[in-house]
Amino acid sequence: MFLRTMLATALISTVPLASASPESAKATFKNAAGAEVGHADLVQANDGVLIKLTLKGLPPGGHAFHVHAVGKCEAPFTTAGGHFNPQSHKHGIMASGGAHAGDMPNLHIPASGELSLEVLNPAVTLAKGAPNSLFKPDGTALVIHATVDDYKSDPAGNAGDRIACAGVEP
């Protein structure tokens, strides 16, 4: 009996307790006219946050995709602030010393204007209170730009105007 009790206690102590942090989040993309152009489901993974995108009605071609530092999406989306950058790094996936936490690969929208894909961002988390949490007091937003990110020009990769924005919500 004592051994079973000890084993049960050991097993219980190794099971993580439910945290106050959400395991998932969502975001709805709107264009400058206020029309819905897609959504994202965000899921906490072991190595970062998996962002599952479904987009429609966007112009074909390459578009920069970033996490921005403020969860406010009022056209022309400058209210979303700059890129999410809690470690104060230079911009760009090719930057020496690391990129902004909000820097992600470019999206390539086909002629149909519709795209579904998954992107893993290893530099962010959904854990509330963490320095790189998407749930900071001012929130965060996912932003799609008019042109591609060159992955090196600071502070924003010469990505052009912001054409769609989605505030991240639990």
Side-chain angles (χ1 to χ4, degrees):
M1 180 69 171
F2 175 75
L3 185 58
R4 267 197 282 184
T5 303
M6 290 301 291
L7 182 58
T9 302
L11 288 173
I12 290 170
S13 65
T14 61
V15 174
L17 299 175
S19 69
S21 297
E23 296 290 322
S24 63
K26 62 184 176 182
T28 301
F29 286 94
K30 296 201 174 176
N31 64 19
E36 186 176 323
V37 292
H39 65 273
D41 293 312
L42 296 84
V43 179
Q44 183 64 55
N46 290 335
D47 297 327
V49 173
L50 182 64
I51 304 168
K52 301 174 183 182
L53 289 171
T54 303
L55 303 169
K56 62 181 180 193
L58 291 176
H63 300 277
F65 178 49
H66 304 120
V67 178
H68 281 248
V70 180
K72 198 170 191 179
C73 291
E74 295 171 359
F77 310 128
T78 55
T79 53
H83 294 180
F84 183 54
N85 188 19
Q87 291 83 23
S88 299
H89 289 167
K90 294 284 186 188
H91 168 78
I93 293 171
M94 297 188 317
S96 63
H100 296 156
D103 292 346
M104 293 186 287
N106 289 320
L107 301 176
H108 296 279
I109 308 292
S112 68
E114 296 181 10
L115 178 69
S116 292
L117 81 140
E118 296 179 351
V119 176
L120 178 67
N121 185 327
V124 299
T125 183
L126 297 180
K128 288 185 179 176
N132 59 337
S133 176
L134 297 182
F135 296 119
K136 54 188 217 57
D138 291 335
T140 54
L142 302 175
V143 175
I144 299 171
H145 292 261
T147 60
V148 296
D149 185 330
D150 66 14
Y151 298 140
K152 59 188 175 194
S153 299
D154 201 41
N158 289 326
D161 292 337
R162 301 166 186 199
I163 62 168
C165 186
V168 177
E169 302 174 1

PDB file of all heavy atoms in Angstrom, residues 70-103:
ATOM      1  N   VAL A  70       1.236  45.962 -30.739  1.00  0.00           N
ATOM      2  CA  VAL A  70       0.002  46.472 -30.122  1.00  0.00           C
ATOM      3  C   VAL A  70      -1.191  45.753 -30.763  1.00  0.00           C
ATOM      4  O   VAL A  70      -1.252  45.610 -31.981  1.00  0.00           O
ATOM      5  CB  VAL A  70      -0.136  48.010 -30.310  1.00  0.00           C
ATOM      6  CG1 VAL A  70      -1.413  48.525 -29.661  1.00  0.00           C
ATOM      7  CG2 VAL A  70       1.080  48.733 -29.746  1.00  0.00           C
ATOM      8  N   GLY A  71      -2.124  45.339 -29.961  1.00  0.00           N
ATOM      9  CA  GLY A  71      -3.290  44.604 -30.453  1.00  0.00           C
ATOM     10  C   GLY A  71      -4.418  45.486 -30.921  1.00  0.00           C
ATOM     11  O   GLY A  71      -5.591  45.203 -30.656  1.00  0.00           O
ATOM     12  N   LYS A  72      -4.111  46.555 -31.617  1.00  0.00           N
ATOM     13  CA  LYS A  72      -5.124  47.497 -32.085  1.00  0.00           C
ATOM     14  C   LYS A  72      -5.048  47.577 -33.607  1.00  0.00           C
ATOM     15  O   LYS A  72      -3.992  47.878 -34.153  1.00  0.00           O
ATOM     16  CB  LYS A  72      -4.854  48.862 -31.461  1.00  0.00           C
ATOM     17  CG  LYS A  72      -6.005  49.812 -31.488  1.00  0.00           C
ATOM     18  CD  LYS A  72      -5.669  51.020 -30.635  1.00  0.00           C
ATOM     19  CE  LYS A  72      -6.905  51.870 -30.432  1.00  0.00           C
ATOM     20  NZ  LYS A  72      -6.614  53.027 -29.604  1.00  0.00           N
ATOM     21  N   CYS A  73      -6.149  47.321 -34.279  1.00  0.00           N
ATOM     22  CA  CYS A  73      -6.176  47.267 -35.745  1.00  0.00           C
ATOM     23  C   CYS A  73      -7.157  48.272 -36.322  1.00  0.00           C
ATOM     24  O   CYS A  73      -8.269  47.922 -36.720  1.00  0.00           O
ATOM     25  CB  CYS A  73      -6.525  45.853 -36.208  1.00  0.00           C
ATOM     26  SG  CYS A  73      -5.239  44.644 -35.897  1.00  0.00           S
ATOM     27  N   GLU A  74      -6.761  49.529 -36.372  1.00  0.00           N
ATOM     28  CA  GLU A  74      -7.571  50.577 -37.005  1.00  0.00           C
ATOM     29  C   GLU A  74      -6.848  50.993 -38.278  1.00  0.00           C
ATOM     30  O   GLU A  74      -5.667  51.342 -38.239  1.00  0.00           O
ATOM     31  CB  GLU A  74      -7.717  51.772 -36.061  1.00  0.00           C
ATOM     32  CG  GLU A  74      -8.493  51.433 -34.795  1.00  0.00           C
ATOM     33  CD  GLU A  74      -8.449  52.543 -33.762  1.00  0.00           C
ATOM     34  OE1 GLU A  74      -7.807  53.599 -34.000  1.00  0.00           O
ATOM     35  OE2 GLU A  74      -9.056  52.358 -32.701  1.00  0.00           O
ATOM     36  N   ALA A  75      -7.547  50.944 -39.410  1.00  0.00           N
ATOM     37  CA  ALA A  75      -6.933  51.284 -40.696  1.00  0.00           C
ATOM     38  C   ALA A  75      -6.315  52.669 -40.627  1.00  0.00           C
ATOM     39  O   ALA A  75      -6.917  53.558 -40.017  1.00  0.00           O
ATOM     40  CB  ALA A  75      -7.974  51.199 -41.806  1.00  0.00           C
ATOM     41  N   PRO A  76      -5.141  52.844 -41.161  1.00  0.00           N
ATOM     42  CA  PRO A  76      -4.314  51.964 -41.992  1.00  0.00           C
ATOM     43  C   PRO A  76      -3.390  51.043 -41.186  1.00  0.00           C
ATOM     44  O   PRO A  76      -2.339  50.630 -41.666  1.00  0.00           O
ATOM     45  CB  PRO A  76      -3.513  52.933 -42.848  1.00  0.00           C
ATOM     46  CG  PRO A  76      -3.288  54.105 -41.945  1.00  0.00           C
ATOM     47  CD  PRO A  76      -4.550  54.202 -41.109  1.00  0.00           C
ATOM     48  N   PHE A  77      -3.791  50.702 -39.996  1.00  0.00           N
ATOM     49  CA  PHE A  77      -3.151  49.710 -39.128  1.00  0.00           C
ATOM     50  C   PHE A  77      -1.837  50.154 -38.500  1.00  0.00           C
ATOM     51  O   PHE A  77      -1.101  49.336 -37.959  1.00  0.00           O
ATOM     52  CB  PHE A  77      -2.997  48.361 -39.843  1.00  0.00           C
ATOM     53  CG  PHE A  77      -4.271  47.875 -40.477  1.00  0.00           C
ATOM     54  CD1 PHE A  77      -4.304  47.492 -41.798  1.00  0.00           C
ATOM     55  CD2 PHE A  77      -5.460  47.829 -39.757  1.00  0.00           C
ATOM     56  CE1 PHE A  77      -5.477  47.060 -42.398  1.00  0.00           C
ATOM     57  CE2 PHE A  77      -6.649  47.402 -40.340  1.00  0.00           C
ATOM     58  CZ  PHE A  77      -6.655  47.012 -41.669  1.00  0.00           C
ATOM     59  N   THR A  78      -1.563  51.443 -38.541  1.00  0.00           N
ATOM     60  CA  THR A  78      -0.387  51.942 -37.815  1.00  0.00           C
ATOM     61  C   THR A  78      -0.606  51.854 -36.309  1.00  0.00           C
ATOM     62  O   THR A  78       0.354  51.882 -35.538  1.00  0.00           O
ATOM     63  CB  THR A  78      -0.068  53.396 -38.213  1.00  0.00           C
ATOM     64  OG1 THR A  78      -1.237  54.189 -38.015  1.00  0.00           O
ATOM     65  CG2 THR A  78       0.389  53.477 -39.666  1.00  0.00           C
ATOM     66  N   THR A  79      -1.860  51.724 -35.885  1.00  0.00           N
ATOM     67  CA  THR A  79      -2.189  51.566 -34.464  1.00  0.00           C
ATOM     68  C   THR A  79      -1.625  50.274 -33.891  1.00  0.00           C
ATOM     69  O   THR A  79      -1.527  50.133 -32.680  1.00  0.00           O
ATOM     70  CB  THR A  79      -3.711  51.588 -34.251  1.00  0.00           C
ATOM     71  OG1 THR A  79      -4.311  50.610 -35.110  1.00  0.00           O
ATOM     72  CG2 THR A  79      -4.290  52.965 -34.552  1.00  0.00           C
ATOM     73  N   ALA A  80      -1.230  49.328 -34.759  1.00  0.00           N
ATOM     74  CA  ALA A  80      -0.640  48.065 -34.301  1.00  0.00           C
ATOM     75  C   ALA A  80       0.821  48.242 -33.883  1.00  0.00           C
ATOM     76  O   ALA A  80       1.447  47.297 -33.413  1.00  0.00           O
ATOM     77  CB  ALA A  80      -0.752  46.997 -35.398  1.00  0.00           C
ATOM     78  N   GLY A  81       1.350  49.451 -34.016  1.00  0.00           N
ATOM     79  CA  GLY A  81       2.719  49.729 -33.596  1.00  0.00           C
ATOM     80  C   GLY A  81       3.745  49.056 -34.482  1.00  0.00           C
ATOM     81  O   GLY A  81       3.443  48.580 -35.573  1.00  0.00           O
ATOM     82  N   GLY A  82       4.973  49.030 -33.990  1.00  0.00           N
ATOM     83  CA  GLY A  82       6.068  48.384 -34.716  1.00  0.00           C
ATOM     84  C   GLY A  82       6.051  46.881 -34.502  1.00  0.00           C
ATOM     85  O   GLY A  82       5.152  46.337 -33.857  1.00  0.00           O
ATOM     86  N   HIS A  83       7.076  46.228 -35.004  1.00  0.00           N
ATOM     87  CA  HIS A  83       7.172  44.779 -34.830  1.00  0.00           C
ATOM     88  C   HIS A  83       7.356  44.420 -33.361  1.00  0.00           C
ATOM     89  O   HIS A  83       8.010  45.150 -32.611  1.00  0.00           O
ATOM     90  CB  HIS A  83       8.349  44.218 -35.628  1.00  0.00           C
ATOM     91  CG  HIS A  83       8.174  44.336 -37.095  1.00  0.00           C
ATOM     92  ND1 HIS A  83       9.116  43.895 -37.981  1.00  0.00           N
ATOM     93  CD2 HIS A  83       7.170  44.838 -37.844  1.00  0.00           C
ATOM     94  CE1 HIS A  83       8.697  44.123 -39.211  1.00  0.00           C
ATOM     95  NE2 HIS A  83       7.514  44.698 -39.147  1.00  0.00           N
ATOM     96  N   PHE A  84       6.794  43.302 -32.965  1.00  0.00           N
ATOM     97  CA  PHE A  84       6.956  42.781 -31.606  1.00  0.00           C
ATOM     98  C   PHE A  84       8.428  42.431 -31.420  1.00  0.00           C
ATOM     99  O   PHE A  84       8.974  41.597 -32.149  1.00  0.00           O
ATOM    100  CB  PHE A  84       6.041  41.564 -31.427  1.00  0.00           C
ATOM    101  CG  PHE A  84       6.059  40.979 -30.045  1.00  0.00           C
ATOM    102  CD1 PHE A  84       5.795  41.771 -28.934  1.00  0.00           C
ATOM    103  CD2 PHE A  84       6.315  39.639 -29.857  1.00  0.00           C
ATOM    104  CE1 PHE A  84       5.793  41.226 -27.658  1.00  0.00           C
ATOM    105  CE2 PHE A  84       6.310  39.079 -28.589  1.00  0.00           C
ATOM    106  CZ  PHE A  84       6.055  39.880 -27.485  1.00  0.00           C
ATOM    107  N   ASN A  85       9.092  43.084 -30.461  1.00  0.00           N
ATOM    108  CA  ASN A  85      10.542  42.980 -30.345  1.00  0.00           C
ATOM    109  C   ASN A  85      10.986  43.095 -28.883  1.00  0.00           C
ATOM    110  O   ASN A  85      11.706  44.030 -28.516  1.00  0.00           O
ATOM    111  CB  ASN A  85      11.188  44.067 -31.214  1.00  0.00           C
ATOM    112  CG  ASN A  85      12.683  43.932 -31.314  1.00  0.00           C
ATOM    113  OD1 ASN A  85      13.252  42.901 -31.050  1.00  0.00           O
ATOM    114  ND2 ASN A  85      13.321  45.023 -31.708  1.00  0.00           N
ATOM    115  N   PRO A  86      10.566  42.166 -28.020  1.00  0.00           N
ATOM    116  CA  PRO A  86      10.883  42.303 -26.595  1.00  0.00           C
ATOM    117  C   PRO A  86      12.380  42.213 -26.276  1.00  0.00           C
ATOM    118  O   PRO A  86      12.810  42.692 -25.231  1.00  0.00           O
ATOM    119  CB  PRO A  86      10.109  41.159 -25.940  1.00  0.00           C
ATOM    120  CG  PRO A  86       9.855  40.185 -27.027  1.00  0.00           C
ATOM    121  CD  PRO A  86       9.766  40.984 -28.298  1.00  0.00           C
ATOM    122  N   GLN A  87      13.185  41.637 -27.152  1.00  0.00           N
ATOM    123  CA  GLN A  87      14.627  41.525 -26.895  1.00  0.00           C
ATOM    124  C   GLN A  87      15.430  42.659 -27.544  1.00  0.00           C
ATOM    125  O   GLN A  87      16.654  42.656 -27.489  1.00  0.00           O
ATOM    126  CB  GLN A  87      15.174  40.175 -27.397  1.00  0.00           C
ATOM    127  CG  GLN A  87      14.695  38.976 -26.607  1.00  0.00           C
ATOM    128  CD  GLN A  87      13.323  38.496 -27.076  1.00  0.00           C
ATOM    129  OE1 GLN A  87      12.892  38.743 -28.200  1.00  0.00           O
ATOM    130  NE2 GLN A  87      12.609  37.815 -26.192  1.00  0.00           N
ATOM    131  N   SER A  88      14.766  43.618 -28.173  1.00  0.00           N
ATOM    132  CA  SER A  88      15.421  44.765 -28.821  1.00  0.00           C
ATOM    133  C   SER A  88      16.460  44.345 -29.857  1.00  0.00           C
ATOM    134  O   SER A  88      17.553  44.901 -29.915  1.00  0.00           O
ATOM    135  CB  SER A  88      16.055  45.686 -27.767  1.00  0.00           C
ATOM    136  OG  SER A  88      15.060  46.177 -26.902  1.00  0.00           O
ATOM    137  N   HIS A  89      16.112  43.377 -30.687  1.00  0.00           N
ATOM    138  CA  HIS A  89      16.997  42.939 -31.770  1.00  0.00           C
ATOM    139  C   HIS A  89      16.804  43.810 -33.003  1.00  0.00           C
ATOM    140  O   HIS A  89      15.845  44.562 -33.102  1.00  0.00           O
ATOM    141  CB  HIS A  89      16.700  41.488 -32.145  1.00  0.00           C
ATOM    142  CG  HIS A  89      17.136  40.503 -31.112  1.00  0.00           C
ATOM    143  ND1 HIS A  89      16.727  39.201 -31.131  1.00  0.00           N
ATOM    144  CD2 HIS A  89      17.944  40.609 -30.028  1.00  0.00           C
ATOM    145  CE1 HIS A  89      17.259  38.538 -30.111  1.00  0.00           C
ATOM    146  NE2 HIS A  89      17.988  39.379 -29.419  1.00  0.00           N
ATOM    147  N   LYS A  90      17.700  43.662 -33.959  1.00  0.00           N
ATOM    148  CA  LYS A  90      17.543  44.298 -35.269  1.00  0.00           C
ATOM    149  C   LYS A  90      16.477  43.525 -36.030  1.00  0.00           C
ATOM    150  O   LYS A  90      16.170  42.380 -35.709  1.00  0.00           O
ATOM    151  CB  LYS A  90      18.851  44.263 -36.055  1.00  0.00           C
ATOM    152  CG  LYS A  90      19.947  45.086 -35.446  1.00  0.00           C
ATOM    153  CD  LYS A  90      19.700  46.535 -35.717  1.00  0.00           C
ATOM    154  CE  LYS A  90      20.873  47.367 -35.225  1.00  0.00           C
ATOM    155  NZ  LYS A  90      20.599  48.766 -35.298  1.00  0.00           N
ATOM    156  N   HIS A  91      15.941  44.137 -37.081  1.00  0.00           N
ATOM    157  CA  HIS A  91      14.922  43.467 -37.893  1.00  0.00           C
ATOM    158  C   HIS A  91      15.550  42.464 -38.849  1.00  0.00           C
ATOM    159  O   HIS A  91      16.620  42.687 -39.384  1.00  0.00           O
ATOM    160  CB  HIS A  91      14.123  44.475 -38.729  1.00  0.00           C
ATOM    161  CG  HIS A  91      13.276  43.795 -39.765  1.00  0.00           C
ATOM    162  ND1 HIS A  91      12.082  43.190 -39.448  1.00  0.00           N
ATOM    163  CD2 HIS A  91      13.474  43.559 -41.072  1.00  0.00           C
ATOM    164  CE1 HIS A  91      11.588  42.642 -40.533  1.00  0.00           C
ATOM    165  NE2 HIS A  91      12.415  42.850 -41.541  1.00  0.00           N
ATOM    166  N   GLY A  92      14.827  41.402 -39.096  1.00  0.00           N
ATOM    167  CA  GLY A  92      15.128  40.512 -40.202  1.00  0.00           C
ATOM    168  C   GLY A  92      15.636  39.146 -39.823  1.00  0.00           C
ATOM    169  O   GLY A  92      16.486  38.994 -38.951  1.00  0.00           O
ATOM    170  N   ILE A  93      15.102  38.156 -40.502  1.00  0.00           N
ATOM    171  CA  ILE A  93      15.521  36.775 -40.290  1.00  0.00           C
ATOM    172  C   ILE A  93      17.011  36.619 -40.590  1.00  0.00           C
ATOM    173  O   ILE A  93      17.686  35.788 -40.009  1.00  0.00           O
ATOM    174  CB  ILE A  93      14.647  35.824 -41.147  1.00  0.00           C
ATOM    175  CG1 ILE A  93      13.205  35.855 -40.619  1.00  0.00           C
ATOM    176  CG2 ILE A  93      15.191  34.413 -41.165  1.00  0.00           C
ATOM    177  CD1 ILE A  93      12.197  35.149 -41.493  1.00  0.00           C
ATOM    178  N   MET A  94      17.559  37.470 -41.461  1.00  0.00           N
ATOM    179  CA  MET A  94      18.980  37.382 -41.805  1.00  0.00           C
ATOM    180  C   MET A  94      19.841  38.342 -40.977  1.00  0.00           C
ATOM    181  O   MET A  94      21.035  38.473 -41.233  1.00  0.00           O
ATOM    182  CB  MET A  94      19.171  37.640 -43.307  1.00  0.00           C
ATOM    183  CG  MET A  94      18.482  36.586 -44.148  1.00  0.00           C
ATOM    184  SD  MET A  94      18.800  36.620 -45.932  1.00  0.00           S
ATOM    185  CE  MET A  94      18.715  38.305 -46.386  1.00  0.00           C
ATOM    186  N   ALA A  95      19.276  38.988 -39.968  1.00  0.00           N
ATOM    187  CA  ALA A  95      20.030  39.921 -39.134  1.00  0.00           C
ATOM    188  C   ALA A  95      20.986  39.172 -38.215  1.00  0.00           C
ATOM    189  O   ALA A  95      20.621  38.150 -37.630  1.00  0.00           O
ATOM    190  CB  ALA A  95      19.069  40.768 -38.303  1.00  0.00           C
ATOM    191  N   SER A  96      22.208  39.683 -38.094  1.00  0.00           N
ATOM    192  CA  SER A  96      23.140  39.063 -37.153  1.00  0.00           C
ATOM    193  C   SER A  96      22.661  39.388 -35.742  1.00  0.00           C
ATOM    194  O   SER A  96      22.161  40.469 -35.473  1.00  0.00           O
ATOM    195  CB  SER A  96      24.562  39.580 -37.385  1.00  0.00           C
ATOM    196  OG  SER A  96      24.632  40.957 -37.139  1.00  0.00           O
ATOM    197  N   GLY A  97      22.778  38.445 -34.851  1.00  0.00           N
ATOM    198  CA  GLY A  97      22.331  38.647 -33.480  1.00  0.00           C
ATOM    199  C   GLY A  97      20.872  38.322 -33.253  1.00  0.00           C
ATOM    200  O   GLY A  97      20.365  38.506 -32.164  1.00  0.00           O
ATOM    201  N   GLY A  98      20.194  37.845 -34.261  1.00  0.00           N
ATOM    202  CA  GLY A  98      18.803  37.459 -34.090  1.00  0.00           C
ATOM    203  C   GLY A  98      17.829  38.498 -34.593  1.00  0.00           C
ATOM    204  O   GLY A  98      18.151  39.681 -34.684  1.00  0.00           O
ATOM    205  N   ALA A  99      16.653  38.057 -34.911  1.00  0.00           N
ATOM    206  CA  ALA A  99      15.603  38.897 -35.488  1.00  0.00           C
ATOM    207  C   ALA A  99      14.619  39.336 -34.411  1.00  0.00           C
ATOM    208  O   ALA A  99      14.676  38.879 -33.273  1.00  0.00           O
ATOM    209  CB  ALA A  99      14.878  38.103 -36.566  1.00  0.00           C
ATOM    210  N   HIS A 100      13.699  40.229 -34.789  1.00  0.00           N
ATOM    211  CA  HIS A 100      12.576  40.555 -33.913  1.00  0.00           C
ATOM    212  C   HIS A 100      11.794  39.269 -33.636  1.00  0.00           C
ATOM    213  O   HIS A 100      11.700  38.401 -34.504  1.00  0.00           O
ATOM    214  CB  HIS A 100      11.592  41.509 -34.606  1.00  0.00           C
ATOM    215  CG  HIS A 100      12.127  42.854 -34.946  1.00  0.00           C
ATOM    216  ND1 HIS A 100      11.571  43.608 -35.952  1.00  0.00           N
ATOM    217  CD2 HIS A 100      13.133  43.593 -34.426  1.00  0.00           C
ATOM    218  CE1 HIS A 100      12.200  44.762 -36.024  1.00  0.00           C
ATOM    219  NE2 HIS A 100      13.160  44.778 -35.126  1.00  0.00           N
ATOM    220  N   ALA A 101      11.181  39.174 -32.480  1.00  0.00           N
ATOM    221  CA  ALA A 101      10.313  38.025 -32.188  1.00  0.00           C
ATOM    222  C   ALA A 101       9.135  37.987 -33.161  1.00  0.00           C
ATOM    223  O   ALA A 101       8.597  36.921 -33.448  1.00  0.00           O
ATOM    224  CB  ALA A 101       9.814  38.094 -30.751  1.00  0.00           C
ATOM    225  N   GLY A 102       8.757  39.135 -33.705  1.00  0.00           N
ATOM    226  CA  GLY A 102       7.627  39.211 -34.624  1.00  0.00           C
ATOM    227  C   GLY A 102       7.959  38.960 -36.079  1.00  0.00           C
ATOM    228  O   GLY A 102       7.070  38.945 -36.928  1.00  0.00           O
ATOM    229  N   ASP A 103       9.230  38.764 -36.415  1.00  0.00           N
ATOM    230  CA  ASP A 103       9.616  38.521 -37.804  1.00  0.00           C
ATOM    231  C   ASP A 103       9.277  37.081 -38.195  1.00  0.00           C
ATOM    232  O   ASP A 103       9.651  36.141 -37.500  1.00  0.00           O
ATOM    233  CB  ASP A 103      11.118  38.751 -38.001  1.00  0.00           C
ATOM    234  CG  ASP A 103      11.514  40.204 -37.863  1.00  0.00           C
ATOM    235  OD1 ASP A 103      10.619  41.074 -37.888  1.00  0.00           O
ATOM    236  OD2 ASP A 103      12.720  40.472 -37.730  1.00  0.00           O
TER     237      ASP A 103
END
